[in-house]
Amino acid sequence: MKELLSGNAAIARGAYEFGVTVAAAYPGTPSTEILENLVLYPGVYAEWAPNEKVAMEVGIGASLGGARALVAMKHVGVNVAADPLMTFSYTGVNAGFVLVSTDDPGMHSSQNEQDNRHYARFAKMPLLEPSDSQEAKDMVGLALDLSERFDTPVMLRTTTRVSHSQSLVEIQEPQPRKLKNYLKDIKKNLMLPTYARPRRVALEKSLTGLKEYSEESPVNRIEWRDRSLGVITSGISYQYVRDVLPNASVLKLGFTNPLPEQLIRSFAAGVQKLIVVEELEPFIEEQVRAMGLALAAEGFIPYTGELDPGILAAALINAGIITSREGIAQNGYNLEEAPPVPARPPVLCPGCSHRGVFYALRRLKLNVSGDIGCYTLGGLPPLEAMDSNICMGASIGVAHGIGKANPALDARTVAVIGDSTFLHSGITGLLDVVYNKGHATVIILDNRTTAMTGHQHHPGTGRTLAGEQAPAVNMEALVRVLGVNRVRVIDPLNLAETEAAIAEELAASEPSVIIADKPCALLTKATRPAVRVQAEKCTGCRICTRIGCPAISIKDKRALVDAAVCTGCNLCLQVCREGALVKGEEKHA
Amino acid sequence: MLKSIDVLMVGVGGQGTILASRVLAQAAQAAGYDIKVSEIHGMAQRGGSVVTQVRLGEKVYSPLIVKGGADVLLAFEKLEALRLLSYLKKDGVLIVNDQAIDPVPVLVGAAEYPPDIPEYLCTTVPGTLVFDATEIAGRCGTAKAANVVLLGAMARRLPIERAIWEKALAERVPAKLLEVNQAAFAAGYELG
C-alpha cells in the first residue's frame, strides 16, 4: 500500500518498520515531525530531551542497552550534540544507531545554513542522503544495518525540501526484532586514553571497509543516458537534475561518506563532460577534484541559499553546460507593470505574552541580547527590541560578556530567553553569571511551551511527548537554586508592572531573573471580549500600532480593532494615552 | 500517459491551504498520479505567507515548481496571488479569492494594500476567476470552508473525476464538518 508521506513522516515510519524502539530529540524546524510521528507507533519509546546533546546521550545508552535507536535534530542541533558524537564514532554501537540531521538551506527557519555533511566526515561516520520520502524510509533501515555491520553511528542527512515535501511511500509491516544483550566491554566503551588509542586505529580500519561498501552500495547507482554529459549528484539535487537535464547520465549518490572513488572514476571515464550538482557546500565536488578528475565546470552553483530547478538551469547556462532551459518551463508573465506588493512578515500572535516585555524594553531603550524562539520576532519592526541572536541559550552568556567588557553597560543590558530555551541551555549560562559575579538581568519569557516549533512539551510543561503527565520543573525554584537571589514573577501583559520590574532589577548590583509568566496565547483558547475603540477620543496618534498587534489598524485616521482577531489581552489599552481604547464588555447570561 | 500538472496554492496562515493541498494530493493519488507536495512550516505559522506546491504526473522529480511553470495558481487571498503570479505559466489557470487580509506593514500604515488587484489580475491573465469564496462558504454554513469552495472551483478545471474529488474530501474532512464542506465543494465546482 502506498501512502503520501513527508520525508519526516517517512523517517518515522522507517524507524518503526526497521525496529527502532528508543528515540530522542529536541524540536527544531525542519526536524520536529520525526518524533511527533514516531511516538504514535506501538512499541516505540520516544522523548523530547531538554537539548540535542542529551538526546544523543540517551540514544547512545539505548544502543548500548541493545535497542535500535534514532536521534533527530536540526542542523544546528548537531553542534550541541557534537561532543558525544565525536567520541561515539570511536566506541561504535551495540544495536544500530542513526542520527538524523535535517539541514535548512535557504534558512526558512534557522539562524545559519551549515552543511552537516561535513560533520559526517569530521566524525568519520557513514553518511546517507535521501532524495525523497521513499528513500528516506528505506535509508533508515540501511543506516541501522550499516551501523551494526560496521559498528558505527550513521548519519542520515536530509534538507528542508526532503523533510517537508511529501511523496508516495510503500508501507510495510515491521518485522519482529529482539533486543540485543548489554555488552560489558570497557576496552570498547570506556574512552580513556589507553583504550581510546586502539579505537582510533580501529576507526580507520572501519573506514576502509566503509569505502569498499560505498563502491557496491545499491544507493550509489549510475543511470546511463546520453553520455555527452555526466552529473554526479546527491540528495534533493538529484531531483532537480532530473528535471533540468532529463537526458544527462547521472551518478546518483545516496551514500556520500566515504565516497565511492572507483565508481566515480568509472563514471567519469564513461562521459565526455563531467559536473557535480549539489546544494550548499562543494562537499562532493572538492573530493572529486582531489581525485584528479577534470570537471567541465567548477563552483558554478551558488554556495548560498536553497537550490531549485530554476537556479540550477540558470547556473548551467552561465557555465556553458547547456544553452537553453530545455527541460523546464520558462513561459511566465511579464509583471513589470504589477502594483508593488507589500511584505507579509511573520509577527507575534494577537494576545502574545511576549509583546508587553518587548514594548517595555523598547520604551526603556535597553540593550537586549536575544535567543531562539517565537520571541526572536520581537527584533523585527515595529517592536525592534532585540540587538543580537546567536544560538540556543546564548542570550545569557552574551549579556554577561557585555557587562564584563564594559561595566557601564550592565545597567542597560538584559537577556531575554524562552522557557524551553532556558531549559535547553540557558541554565549553565545563568550559573556562570552567578559564579563569576556578573550582574546580568535575565528575563525568562515563560509561555509554558516550545512555541516556535508548534507547542512541544519540555521539562517545565508537566507533559511528555506521549502526552503523559510528568513532573513540571518549578522555574522560580530552579533559578534560586542556581544561586540567583533576586527572582520575581511578573505578568508581562501588565506594562506598568513589567517596566517597573525591569528598571528595578537593572539597578541591582547582582544577578537577577524576571520570570514573565503567561501561557502562549495559542494554548489558552478562552479569550476575553475584544477591545473597543471610542472613536471620539482617538486622535490618530498611532501609538497603539507600535505594539505590532495584528488586530489593530488605522482606518480614516482612527484606530480600528478587529474583534475577530483581538483576544482581549488589553495591552493596547495601556499604551493609548487618550483613553480611546477600552475593555470590551463581558457578556452576562 | 497522464498529463503533468503543477499547482501552486497560496494564502495566509490559518486559511486552510494545507488541508486543500492534502485533498488535491489524495484525489490525484486515487486517479493514478505520482505526486510530490512541498510546503514550508516554521515561520509561516506566525501570520506569514503560506505557499504549498503540488506536482502531479506520470513520474514527478523535483518537489519545487519553477517560475513560469505552474499550470494552476489557486490564491486564498488576493495579495498573495499577486506576490506569486510570476510562478504562473502563460495560459495557466488563475483562481483568486476576492478577500484581503492586511499584512502588518499595511495595518500600521507603513505600506499600502494595492487597491485594484482583481482588475490587474484579470487584465494580465485572461480568464482569471475571481470571486468571494468566503461569502459563498458562509452561505454553505461556515466562512471557514472558503478553502473548499476554492478547491471545488479548481477541481472543475482538472482532469480528475468529480466522484474521486468527493471521496478524497470525505476522507480528509472530519465527519461532523463533512456536510458543510460537501456543500462548499459543490458551490465552488458549479462556479464554472
Side-chain angles (χ1 to χ4, degrees), chain A residues 84-133:
Chain A
L85 175 63
M86 291 294 160
T87 300
F88 190 34
S89 59
Y90 278 46
T91 67
V93 304
N94 179 20
F97 177 101
V98 56
L99 167 64
V100 184
S101 166
T102 67
D103 297 5
D104 188 16
M107 295 177 274
H108 295 285
S109 190
S110 304
Q111 65 272 32
N112 75 24
E113 59 180 12
Q114 67 192 42
D115 188 331
N116 276 11
R117 294 181 297 176
H118 290 299
Y119 261 118
R121 233 182 146 202
F122 191 16
K124 298 177 179 290
M125 70 201 288
L127 169 63
L128 291 164
E129 291 188 75
S131 72
D132 63 17
S133 299

Side-chain angles (χ1 to χ4, degrees), chain A residues 71-323:
Chain A
V71 174
M73 55 198 64
K74 67 182 295 175
H75 58 322
V76 290
V78 180
N79 302 334
V80 180
D83 203 1
L85 175 63
M86 291 294 160
T87 300
F88 190 34
S89 59
Y90 278 46
T91 67
V93 304
N94 179 20
F97 177 101
V98 56
L99 167 64
V100 184
S101 166
T102 67
D103 297 5
D104 188 16
M107 295 177 274
H108 295 285
S109 190
S110 304
Q111 65 272 32
N112 75 24
E113 59 180 12
Q114 67 192 42
D115 188 331
N116 276 11
R117 294 181 297 176
H118 290 299
Y119 261 118
R121 233 182 146 202
F122 191 16
K124 298 177 179 290
M125 70 201 288
L127 169 63
L128 291 164
E129 291 188 75
S131 72
D132 63 17
S133 299
Q134 181 70 56
E135 287 184 7
K137 192 198 87 166
D138 295 344
M139 282 184 180
V140 173
L142 179 60
L144 291 162
D145 288 345
L146 291 176
S147 173
E148 287 168 4
R149 181 170 152 199
F150 291 97
D151 191 14
T152 173
V154 176
M155 179 184 281
L156 179 73
R157 184 250 190 182
T158 68
T159 51
T160 301
R161 284 300 158 189
V162 173
S163 276
H164 280 178
S165 65
Q166 300 161 46
S167 53
L168 295 170
V169 178
E170 192 66 52
I171 300 298
Q172 276 147 350
E173 285 311 304
Q175 299 298 314
R177 207 173 284 275
K178 276 201 305 210
L179 281 183
K180 290 188 157 191
N181 292 325
Y182 177 77
L183 290 181
K184 222 175 172 55
D185 185 349
I186 60 169
K187 288 185 177 173
K188 183 168 180 293
N189 296 326
L190 188 75
M191 287 300 97
L192 47 74
T194 187
Y195 295 147
R197 287 185 196 113
R199 292 304 303 170
R200 174 76 182 82
V201 176
L203 185 53
E204 289 305 316
K205 206 172 151 193
S206 158
L207 278 173
T208 310
L210 282 162
K211 209 159 161 25
E212 283 164 18
Y213 167 77
S214 183
E215 301 288 355
E216 71 200 35
S217 172
V219 297
N220 289 337
R221 64 162 194 264
I222 295 176
E223 299 173 2
W224 290 120
R225 280 177 282 271
D226 181 351
R227 294 191 182 221
S228 62
L229 178 64
V231 186
I232 303 173
T233 186
S234 72
I236 194 68
S237 305
Y238 167 77
Q239 309 290 359
Y240 305 151
V241 167
R242 293 293 291 118
D243 264 6
V244 179
L245 300 166
N247 302 317
S249 291
V250 173
L251 170 55
K252 182 193 184 301
L253 297 177
F255 184 97
T256 45
N257 190 59
L259 284 173
E261 185 171 344
Q262 294 315 315
L263 187 67
I264 289 171
R265 285 186 188 284
S266 71
F267 179 69
V271 296
Q272 286 168 26
K273 271 194 286 191
L274 180 69
I275 56 169
V276 179
V277 171
E278 58 193 324
E279 194 172 45
L280 291 183
E281 300 288 313
F283 177 81
I284 297 171
E285 183 175 299
E286 282 181 355
Q287 294 182 68
V288 169
R289 284 166 60 190
M291 291 172 196
L293 294 171
L295 294 171
E298 293 173 0
F300 66 102
I301 299 170
Y303 293 159
T304 60
E306 190 177 32
L307 191 61
D308 69 26
I311 294 170
L312 177 58
L316 289 165
I317 291 169
N318 263 340
I321 302 293
I322 56 174
T323 50

Side-chain angles (χ1 to χ4, degrees), chain A residues 239 350 418 441 484 498 532 536 541:
Chain A
Q239 309 290 359
T441 300
V484 179
T498 301
R532 289 185 303 118
E536 67 281 5
C541 73

